Amino acid sequence: MLNTENVGLGKVRSSIRELFEYGRKRKAEIGEDNVYDFSLGNPSVPAPPEVGEALKELIENCDPVALHGYTSAQGAYEVRKIIAGYTNSRFGTSLNADCIYMTCGAAASLTITLNALVNAGDEVITFVPYFPEYKVFARHAGAELVAVKTRAEDFQIDFENLKSALSPKTKAVIINSPNNPCGVVYGEEVIKRLVCVLNEHTKRTGNPVYLISDEPYRELVFDDSTSVPYIMNFYKRSIVAYSYSKSLSLPGERIGYIAVNNAMPEFNDVYAGVCGAGRALGYVCAPALFQRLIAKVYDKTADVSVYKANRDRLCSALTEYGYKVIKPDGAFYLFVKSPEPDAKAFSERAKEYELLLVAGDDFGCGGYARISYCVAPEMIERALPAFKKLFESYK
Amino acid sequence: MLNTENVGLGKVRSSIRELFEYGRKRKAEIGEDNVYDFSLGNPSVPAPPEVGEALKELIENCDPVALHGYTSAQGAYEVRKIIAGYTNSRFGTSLNADCIYMTCGAAASLTITLNALVNAGDEVITFVPYFPEYKVFARHAGAELVAVKTRAEDFQIDFENLKSALSPKTKAVIINSPNNPCGVVYGEEVIKRLVCVLNEHTKRTGNPVYLISDEPYRELVFDDSTSVPYIMNFYKRSIVAYSYSKSLSLPGERIGYIAVNNAMPEFNDVYAGVCGAGRALGYVCAPALFQRLIAKVYDKTADVSVYKANRDRLCSALTEYGYKVIKPDGAFYLFVKSPEPDAKAFSERAKEYELLLVAGDDFGCGGYARISYCVAPEMIERALPAFKKLFESYK
């Protein structure tokens, strides 16, 4: 009688949240320092100092009626203009303010984009492992999520699997590079092959496919040799779903944007669809103060060097203990192969050593567990002996 | 091929926005002071000083990782607890923190609530005149909006019309008191009759009907004799969609909440539906800084006495000139009877006098125009001669 789909969604807590809640209780029992919580993707480094300074300056110096008033539904023009200009200078695109639509973060960027593109019965493709809410977002928009298996050795795209998954119903492909939960980054060669496959599909079937790049982790890459190609330079029907949650350590403030590639022939319709979907979902405008903030700190990031150090420490120690890990090129997650086939059982056994790791099953990828290393380096040091004992318990 | 419904929504600007954009251009042509823009419901008084002070204090004194981090999807527990407690002390309810779900403002409160309740083919009833986005929100949730005509003389509920509109498909009734666009407030007698009709309907048909009270204007009532009854004290299956946009003059910041009445038998399912719908629509959490702000200023309001003075000045002057107005008890809108049957033609003619008034047709109520009087009192003084001439042009 109520909406059973949404009631069901509200009743089943994600296992990530479940594990986090277990951790809270366990910490109360045995002490904060004795539980090694690697469950959540909540940035552990503070926002850069420019954020607090800019917020205070805005509050002190702006007329509150203008500062806290409605912006246009697309977002304040000046803010969108700055983002378009910055994107053009970084990536050589030719965007203007009216290609940008300010959102309440990456989740909103995705739901709005999907509701702009999708009709009931469409399919949306993504790659394993993937952020579990993709399925929820696609379903609400009326589509089925089709999860395509990637290469076992490195989680890069398996193009034969992709070709088999493409169908006349395919409306969009979501990529997430750097990836949650495995940290893989798609290089330029991969992107080129991907767009080639999509173009071939469109040529053969007449069905255009939109490429949605979910980019909350774009700024979190750790090596000079790693670069994240900008999809608009490779594919016309591309849409970037961006968020400042991780780059500026502002995940609770819900600020991000959608950038629609103005090189696509039906740009006007797609952008209108974004505006319409934003209205229908109840997003009147993105939070105004944080829009103004972005105009001042659009090129700043939190100090992400901690994540690199955490990654390096964990990768080398876990490898030494005998774990098989895929060294992540970005984001702040490490995917570790479960020493037993059942990753849920591994996650349960890890709890005996006070280690909270999320089973990969939630990300469409059994046999692995996710370690969120957006944590204090000291916790990693305290946790390493537990990781060692956990692995030894399988011998 | 794209989602035609949302593309269509994005292409058709609401006539309110259309008029506002016309006003911007006209001001550039003939000067800011010579255009009398009564088109938008954007609060004209600043947020109370406590808002800026509390924001600065939070930014200065809180750990940024905690301050800007994710809250739980429902909202920060402490904030929800304060809101529940304040509601209980004001209205004698027995809510707790887990009856409250923090949202990105009233529009989000409504879309989330409708997506929790509605299945495809359901009907949602509201009363004429009504906020035009209700239709958009209901349609996206899969329901049809059924607009019930009210009494011609005062826009109060016509209960015979309501009874005719109720059907086995009716899932919810939305009330909006004080009302946008006519400022009518439903007194206790009206609410009692309304719930009586709904209870009779449920008894006869076995179909429960949810009463959604859309309350962005609750704090904007101007006379001691006017009070806005709290629906939870009258009806078990009630849900309050609240927003701080108008009461604290923070419309761009998107902060409000849903309160689900814990007296309803299926409370757990409805609240779970709210949580699930929030997830599916992409609302990860309400903006964290503004959640913390609300914990500090939950009982404050902007200085709304300006709106009362504006109302009184406009009502008496327009009546003197010959207009027929419904004196509003709350909100900051005045509904004026068009001197000609076609309110759109009236709105067009008003432009010749540089007066920007929204035709009532958009609110499901032709023959009237909306005057948003959340404006500077000086603009009203400058506009009054134009109102006089406009009326005289019909003689």
Side-chain angles (χ1 to χ4, degrees):
Chain A
M1 190 203 64
L2 299 171
N3 186 296
T4 46
E5 177 106 14
N6 287 329
V7 172
L9 265 182
K11 284 197 170 170
V12 183
R13 200 152 40 188
S14 80
S15 14
I16 303 176
R17 282 272 158 192
E18 204 76 64
L19 197 60
F20 173 72
E21 294 298 335
Y22 165 84
R24 288 211 319 174
K25 282 188 196 134
R26 189 68 182 142
K27 284 173 191 169
E29 284 166 22
I30 64 167
E32 189 86 20
D33 283 358
N34 300 317
V35 181
Y36 316 120
D37 185 353
F38 295 94
S39 66
L40 280 195
N42 214 349
S44 57
V45 300
E50 292 90 344
V51 162
E53 287 155 20
L55 286 173
K56 279 193 283 181
E57 197 208 311
L58 286 163
I59 294 162
E60 265 161 27
N61 299 334
C62 295
D63 166 27
V65 171
L67 181 63
H68 301 302
Y70 292 114
T71 71
S72 96
Q74 302 155 265
Y77 176 77
E78 324 79 74
V79 181
R80 289 184 285 122
K81 196 177 162 195
I82 285 172
I83 291 172
Y86 181 59
T87 306
N88 294 342
S89 71
R90 273 180 88 181
F91 304 115
T93 45
S94 304
L95 302 178
N96 58 58
D98 287 336
C99 302
I100 307 293
Y101 181 95
M102 302 301 297
T103 65
C104 292
S109 297
L110 287 170
T111 55
I112 292 170
T113 299
L114 289 171
N115 278 281
L117 300 177
V118 159
N119 290 297
D122 284 349
E123 292 173 352
V124 173
I125 285 177
T126 198
F127 300 98
V128 169
Y130 63 89
F131 179 53
E133 295 300 82
Y134 288 174
K135 191 179 267 178
V136 175
F137 299 160
R139 276 184 82 97
H140 179 80
E144 277 306 312
L145 188 75
V146 176
V148 174
K149 280 203 175 167
T150 48
R151 301 198 310 201
E153 64 276 23
D154 58 6
F155 295 114
Q156 292 284 346
I157 295 174
D158 181 315
F159 288 97
E160 291 313 308
N161 286 349
L162 172 60
K163 283 178 198 167
S164 311
L166 282 161
S167 91
K169 293 180 178 174
T170 307
K171 179 56 67 65
V173 172
I174 305 177
I175 58 171
N176 175 219
S177 162
N179 173 272
N180 173 10
C182 74
V184 69
V185 171
Y186 300 151
E188 198 170 307
E189 286 313 306
V190 172
I191 296 296
K192 279 182 178 164
R193 279 191 71 183
L194 171 62
V195 305
C196 185
V197 170
L198 298 185
N199 283 329
E200 270 169 21
H201 173 79
T202 300
K203 204 169 168 186
R204 203 176 60 249
T205 63
N207 291 326
V209 175
Y210 296 88
L211 183 54
I212 303 169
S213 183
D214 178 27
E215 304 198 348
Y217 302 102
R218 167 168 284 282
E219 321 308 339
L220 275 66
V221 287
F222 308 125
D223 301 303
D224 292 342
S225 59
T226 308
S227 80
V228 184
Y230 202 68
I231 51 161
M232 291 196 192
N233 293 324
F234 298 87
Y235 193 68
K236 287 185 179 175
R237 290 195 167 92
S238 52
I239 299 170
V240 171
Y242 192 86
S243 164
Y244 295 94
S245 288
K246 318 290 178 172
S247 63
L248 287 171
S249 288
L250 296 172
E253 307 301 0
R254 316 310 306 143
I255 188 76
Y257 63 82
I258 295 164
V260 181
N261 192 349
N262 50 359
M264 73 176 84
E266 66 279 31
F267 168 80
N268 286 340
D269 279 359
V270 172
Y271 192 84
V274 164
C275 295
R279 262 178 83 179
L281 297 177
Y283 291 102
V284 173
C285 63
L289 176 64
F290 285 90
Q291 287 191 49
R292 313 286 181 200
L293 170 74
I294 294 304
K296 291 175 179 279
V297 299
Y298 59 90
D299 58 352
K300 303 286 184 296
T301 64
D303 176 12
V304 300
S305 65
V306 179
Y307 301 138
K308 178 177 157 61
N310 284 355
R311 177 199 65 167
D312 292 343
R313 181 72 178 119
L314 268 171
C315 278
S316 65
L318 295 193
T319 306
E320 186 195 314
Y321 304 153
Y323 289 97
K324 189 177 172 304
V325 303
I326 309 283
K327 190 174 179 185
D329 286 319
F332 41 45
Y333 307 105
L334 183 67
F335 227 36
V336 59
K337 199 162 165 55
S338 166
E340 60 182 313
D342 181 353
K344 287 184 175 177
F346 172 57
S347 169
E348 278 305 311
R349 193 190 287 198
K351 278 180 178 172
E352 294 169 24
Y353 299 84
E354 311 303 347
L355 288 164
L356 307 188
L357 319 177
V358 181
D361 304 68
D362 274 357
F363 305 96
C365 188
Y368 282 83
R370 185 185 82 167
I371 299 173
S372 293
Y373 56 82
C374 44
V375 297
E378 306 77 51
M379 190 185 91
I380 293 179
E381 294 308 321
R382 287 199 308 276
L384 286 181
F387 273 112
K388 191 157 189 266
K389 280 186 208 151
L390 173 60
F391 194 81
E392 282 165 356
S393 79
Y394 282 99
K395 280 179 185 162
Chain B
M1 189 203 65
L2 300 170
N3 187 296
T4 45
E5 178 107 14
N6 287 328
V7 172
L9 265 182
K11 284 196 168 169
V12 183
R13 196 144 52 183
S14 80
S15 17
I16 302 176
R17 282 275 158 188
E18 204 76 65
L19 197 60
F20 173 71
E21 295 297 335
Y22 166 85
R24 287 211 318 174
K25 283 189 194 134
R26 190 67 183 142
K27 284 173 191 169
E29 285 165 21
I30 64 167
E32 189 87 18
D33 282 358
N34 300 316
V35 180
Y36 316 121
D37 185 353
F38 295 95
S39 66
L40 282 195
N42 214 349
S44 58
V45 300
E50 292 89 344
V51 163
E53 287 155 22
L55 286 174
K56 280 192 283 181
E57 196 208 310
L58 285 164
I59 293 162
E60 266 161 28
N61 300 335
C62 295
D63 167 25
V65 171
L67 182 62
H68 301 303
Y70 292 115
T71 70
S72 97
Q74 302 155 265
Y77 176 77
E78 324 79 76
V79 181
R80 291 183 285 121
K81 195 177 164 196
I82 284 171
I83 291 171
Y86 182 60
T87 307
N88 294 341
S89 72
R90 272 179 89 180
F91 304 115
T93 46
S94 304
L95 302 178
N96 58 57
D98 287 335
C99 302
I100 307 292
Y101 180 95
M102 302 301 297
T103 65
C104 291
S109 297
L110 288 170
T111 55
I112 292 171
T113 300
L114 289 171
N115 278 280
L117 300 177
V118 159
N119 290 297
D122 284 350
E123 291 173 353
V124 173
I125 286 176
T126 197
F127 301 98
V128 170
Y130 63 89
F131 180 52
E133 295 299 85
Y134 287 175
K135 191 179 269 179
V136 175
F137 299 160
R139 277 184 81 96
H140 180 80
E144 278 306 310
L145 188 75
V146 176
V148 174
K149 280 202 176 171
T150 49
R151 302 198 312 202
E153 64 275 25
D154 58 6
F155 295 114
Q156 292 283 346
I157 295 174
D158 180 316
F159 288 98
E160 290 313 309
N161 287 349
L162 171 61
K163 284 178 197 166
S164 310
L166 282 162
S167 90
K169 293 180 179 175
T170 307
K171 178 59 64 69
V173 172
I174 304 177
I175 59 171
N176 174 219
S177 161
N179 174 272
N180 173 11
C182 75
V184 69
V185 170
Y186 300 151
E188 195 169 310
E189 286 313 306
V190 171
I191 296 296
K192 280 182 177 163
R193 278 192 70 184
L194 170 61
V195 306
C196 186
V197 169
L198 297 185
N199 283 329
E200 270 169 20
H201 173 79
T202 300
K203 201 168 169 188
R204 203 176 59 249
T205 64
N207 292 324
V209 174
Y210 296 88
L211 184 54
I212 302 169
S213 183
D214 177 27
E215 305 199 348
Y217 302 101
R218 164 168 287 280
E219 320 307 339
L220 274 66
V221 287
F222 307 125
D223 301 303
D224 291 342
S225 57
T226 307
S227 79
V228 184
Y230 203 69
I231 52 161
M232 292 196 192
N233 292 324
F234 299 87
Y235 193 67
K236 287 186 180 174
R237 290 194 167 91
S238 53
I239 299 170
V240 172
Y242 191 86
S243 163
Y244 295 94
S245 289
K246 318 291 180 175
S247 63
L248 287 171
S249 288
L250 295 173
E253 307 301 359
R254 316 311 304 145
I255 188 77
Y257 64 83
I258 295 164
V260 181
N261 192 347
N262 50 0
M264 73 176 83
E266 65 280 32
F267 167 81
N268 286 340
D269 279 358
V270 171
Y271 192 83
V274 164
C275 294
R279 263 179 82 178
L281 298 177
Y283 291 102
V284 173
C285 64
L289 176 64
F290 285 89
Q291 287 192 48
R292 314 285 181 199
L293 170 74
I294 294 305
K296 291 176 179 279
V297 300
Y298 60 91
D299 58 351
K300 302 288 183 298
T301 64
D303 176 12
V304 300
S305 65
V306 179
Y307 301 138
K308 177 177 158 61
N310 284 356
R311 175 198 68 168
D312 292 344
R313 180 72 177 119
L314 267 171
C315 278
S316 66
L318 296 192
T319 306
E320 187 196 313
Y321 304 153
Y323 290 96
K324 189 176 174 303
V325 303
I326 310 285
K327 191 174 180 184
D329 286 319
F332 41 44
Y333 307 105
L334 182 67
F335 227 36
V336 57
K337 200 164 165 51
S338 166
E340 59 184 311
D342 181 355
K344 287 184 175 177
F346 172 57
S347 168
E348 279 305 310
R349 191 189 289 200
K351 278 179 180 173
E352 295 169 23
Y353 299 84
E354 311 303 347
L355 288 164
L356 307 188
L357 318 177
V358 181
D361 304 69
D362 275 357
F363 306 96
C365 187
Y368 281 82
R370 184 185 82 167
I371 299 173
S372 293
Y373 56 81
C374 43
V375 297
E378 305 77 48
M379 189 185 91
I380 292 179
E381 293 309 320
R382 287 198 308 276
L384 286 180
F387 274 114
K388 191 158 189 266
K389 281 185 208 152
L390 173 61
F391 194 81
E392 283 166 356
S393 78
Y394 282 99
K395 277 179 185 162

